[in-house]
Amino acid sequence: QVQQNVERLFTRFVEEGKATVRLREPAVDLCLSKANVTNLKTFLSAVRLAHQGNDTGVLPLSPLVPAKNSDVEKPKTKMIITSRRDYPLTKSFPFSLEHLQTSYCKLARIDSRVLCLKKLRKLDLSHNHIKQLPATLGDLVCLQELDLHDNHLEAFSGALCSSGLQKSLQLLDLSQNQIQALPLEFCQLRGLVQLRLDDNALLRLPCRIGQLSRLRCLSAARNKLPFLPCDFRKLSLENLDLFGNPFEQPNPLVPNIQLKIPLTLLECAARATVNHRIPYGCHLLPSHLCKDLEVAKTCRCGSACLSSFIQITVTMNLHHVAHTVVLVDNMGGTEAPVLCYFCSLHCYSQFLDRHLQSSG
């Protein structure tokens, strides 16, 4: 069997205790390293004789002894690199890695070798100079934690949100970057439990953020948020930090009126599609209409509206959505403005009547 199955022997580095035996079936290479040189030579001689069809009984083979745990090199699952000097330039990363940290390495992009580590569960690329994320990052389907703290990112692509990360990713740290907005697809990352967005230039949060039903910790301190999206009310958080945002003072008496009377046929059809949950897709409708339907506003009455609505901001106590709230300002406040929509003058006037009565 040895004669038929051994294809080739590689013995160039046998004096270093290294050799490779290439098999036909299964088609694998048996790589030997850190072996006793004398024992390795004897073993290879036996394999060579058997490969040539000769008698191996003349060789002084030692009896097989079970290997100790200390003799077996375990697959490396964790690697931490915290300086550019220690970053491997020519040597490959072990494919067995599950946790990789490469911080303070002045990386301008994500190494393509890292994108081949399919077993990665935790990837820490904090404190680098990364400006853009490759779409192939979404191929790391086991990735649960991604730390991009303190880089030069200006965006987080929608393609990543539609990749395998939408099921696996539980922790995402984008703090201390230069991001102004997150894509509509961001809320497809429905496995997120922790999201850190502190110290960016965010002008708004994703309008469908309420779809992140598993989210428990959200921090978006020191951004440029004037208000929160209407969908923010649907969150159920344990910890929330929105300190240091320039929240506007809400005034329900100064509405932004975008009503179109009578309603256009497009608006009527769109409202009916959303209200009755009629299936749609890009195979039925133009892609821009699909995107409009995905970001439809919801009136206080529960009905949908697209381009015909009345918009106001109202005050919401953040304890309604989070158990622990970091103060919004230095005055001890835990309230913030949240957008509110109405599909008609009737719905807005009903709200206004209740508001005036409660404030009067």
Side-chain angles (χ1 to χ4, degrees):
Q1 292 180 341
V2 173
Q3 179 182 4
Q4 298 175 351
N5 203 32
V6 174
E7 181 177 332
R8 190 176 176 186
L9 300 176
F10 299 89
T11 59
R12 182 178 178 182
F13 299 102
V14 70
E15 295 296 338
E16 299 176 14
K18 300 177 182 179
T20 300
V21 181
R22 176 164 292 173
L23 303 180
R24 288 191 175 92
E25 184 62 38
V28 297
D29 289 347
L30 300 179
C31 300
L32 309 173
S33 63
K34 299 183 181 180
N36 178 280
V37 175
T38 302
N39 292 340
L40 180 59
K41 288 181 177 179
T42 303
F43 168 73
L44 292 174
S45 297
V47 173
R48 186 175 285 109
L49 286 173
H51 177 54
Q52 295 169 353
N54 297 325
D55 184 11
T56 58
V58 297
L59 286 170
L61 294 174
S62 58
L64 292 176
V65 178
K68 302 176 183 178
N69 287 335
S70 57
D71 296 333
V72 180
E73 186 175 358
K74 297 180 180 179
K76 193 168 187 178
T77 60
K78 185 176 182 179
M79 179 180 288
I80 296 178
I81 304 167
T82 55
S83 72
R84 189 173 180 82
R85 180 182 65 255
D86 298 329
Y87 192 84
L89 297 177
T90 57
K91 187 178 179 181
S92 297
F93 292 98
F95 286 106
S96 55
L97 283 182
E98 297 179 8
H99 176 185
L100 174 62
Q101 177 181 348
T102 56
S103 301
Y104 301 100
C105 296
K106 299 181 180 179
L107 299 178
R109 58 181 178 82
I110 299 180
D111 195 326
S112 59
R113 293 173 297 169
V114 172
L115 301 173
C116 296
L117 304 177
K118 303 300 183 183
K119 294 184 179 181
L120 272 185
R121 296 182 180 276
K122 183 176 181 179
L123 178 58
D124 186 344
L125 298 167
S126 59
H127 307 288
N128 282 295
H129 300 162
I130 299 171
K131 295 182 178 180
Q132 193 171 7
L133 302 176
T136 47
L137 182 62
D139 295 337
L140 301 179
V141 294
C142 294
L143 196 62
Q144 296 177 351
E145 299 184 19
L146 178 58
D147 190 344
L148 294 162
H149 169 74
D150 187 21
N151 275 280
H152 298 168
L153 293 173
E154 296 181 358
F156 191 87
S157 76
L160 286 178
C161 305
S162 304
S163 68
L165 295 182
Q166 62 180 277
K167 292 184 178 179
S168 65
L169 199 60
Q170 298 178 18
L171 183 151
L172 177 59
D173 191 342
L174 296 173
S175 57
Q176 206 167 333
N177 279 279
Q178 301 162 19
I179 301 172
Q180 294 187 10
L182 294 170
L184 172 64
E185 299 86 353
F186 188 84
C187 297
Q188 293 179 17
L189 298 173
R190 299 192 183 184
L192 280 180
V193 178
Q194 296 184 51
L195 176 59
R196 299 168 187 161
L197 301 168
D198 310 287
D199 300 292
N200 276 279
L202 286 171
L203 298 170
R204 64 180 185 274
L205 292 177
C207 63
R208 289 300 186 198
I209 196 170
Q211 293 179 350
L212 301 178
S213 58
R214 295 186 61 193
L215 193 64
R216 294 297 174 264
C217 299
L218 171 62
S219 56
R222 295 173 298 279
N223 277 279
K224 299 180 179 180
L225 300 175
F227 44 72
L228 301 175
C230 181
D231 222 40
F232 201 86
R233 297 174 179 273
K234 298 180 181 179
L235 292 175
S236 180
L237 306 172
E238 294 176 4
N239 297 289
L240 174 62
D241 184 359
L242 295 173
F243 179 81
N245 281 284
F247 287 126
E248 296 177 354
Q249 187 66 30
N251 188 351
L253 300 179
V254 184
N256 174 17
I257 300 178
Q258 299 292 331
L259 285 179
K260 298 175 182 178
I261 302 174
L263 294 178
T264 64
L265 181 59
L266 176 61
E267 179 76 17
C268 291
R271 290 187 179 192
T273 300
V274 177
N275 291 338
H276 298 290
R277 299 183 181 181
I278 300 173
Y280 64 89
C282 292
H283 62 292
L284 296 172
L285 298 173
S287 58
H288 70 278
L289 290 180
C290 292
K291 290 183 178 180
D292 288 344
L293 290 170
E294 289 170 4
V295 296
K297 289 88 174 169
T298 303
C299 176
R300 280 292 185 98
C301 72
S303 298
C305 47
L306 265 71
S307 58
S308 179
F309 57 84
I310 296 176
Q311 173 191 293
I312 61 171
T313 53
V314 295
T315 299
M316 180 182 69
N317 193 316
L318 298 177
H319 280 293
H320 289 318
V321 296
H323 181 267
T324 303
V325 178
V326 175
L327 301 182
V328 172
D329 50 44
N330 292 322
M331 304 299 292
T334 58
E335 295 184 340
V338 60
L339 287 179
C340 186
Y341 294 95
F342 302 95
C343 64
S344 63
L345 279 171
H346 175 71
C347 288
Y348 176 60
S349 62
Q350 281 190 327
F351 164 81
L352 206 56
D353 288 341
R354 292 193 299 269
H355 174 73
L356 293 175
Q357 289 176 4
S358 62
S359 61

